[in-house]
Amino acid sequence: MHSKLDLAVGHLNAAVGTVIRAEDLARALREGSVANLASGPEAPLVRGLLHSVFVEIDPALILSCAREAQSDWQHAHQLYTESLADGLPRVKAWEQLVAQRT
């Protein structure tokens, strides 16, 4: 049986091949940032894919991934905020989920 992190990463990698790993998404969700992930020529792609999680993945699955990564919705929301600063669009479903928790 695959983990929720594996499911999310599989979806994010679908169009580009294996670029990110479940461990990368877990770390981003724990840290609330992609700043410490990847260096070198693939870094922008890795960071972009991880930021796109909010656009590509259902909020409930993101929360499951955060729990599996031993993180919480607050750190996931930090990652979301970082994705907005990186130019990704707002995601109403994620914002509604967060509003229910505050």
Side-chain angles (χ1 to χ4, degrees):
M1 184 171 134
H2 291 286
S3 73
K4 301 292 186 183
L5 288 163
D6 288 327
L7 179 65
V9 166
H11 179 77
L12 296 174
N13 281 328
V16 294
T18 303
V19 175
I20 58 172
R21 302 166 298 143
E23 296 82 18
D24 298 326
L25 179 55
R27 183 173 178 188
L29 289 167
R30 282 192 304 272
E31 295 180 4
S33 176
V34 297
N36 295 320
L37 289 166
S39 59
E42 285 197 349
L45 179 57
V46 168
R47 292 177 181 146
L49 285 171
L50 290 168
H51 277 159
S52 74
V53 71
F54 297 94
V55 175
E56 295 291 330
I57 304 294
D58 183 78
L61 179 55
I62 296 170
L63 285 182
S64 293
C65 289
R67 283 190 295 273
E68 188 175 316
Q70 299 179 338
S71 187
D72 53 35
W73 70 266
Q74 291 96 335
H75 284 91
H77 190 62
Q78 284 179 279
L79 183 62
Y80 172 71
T81 301
E82 185 180 79
S83 77
L84 295 178
D86 197 36
L88 271 79
R90 293 178 63 181
V91 179
K92 187 175 181 178
W94 177 259
E95 292 178 358
Q96 289 173 338
L97 183 140
V98 168
Q100 295 170 356
R101 284 167 168 64
T102 57

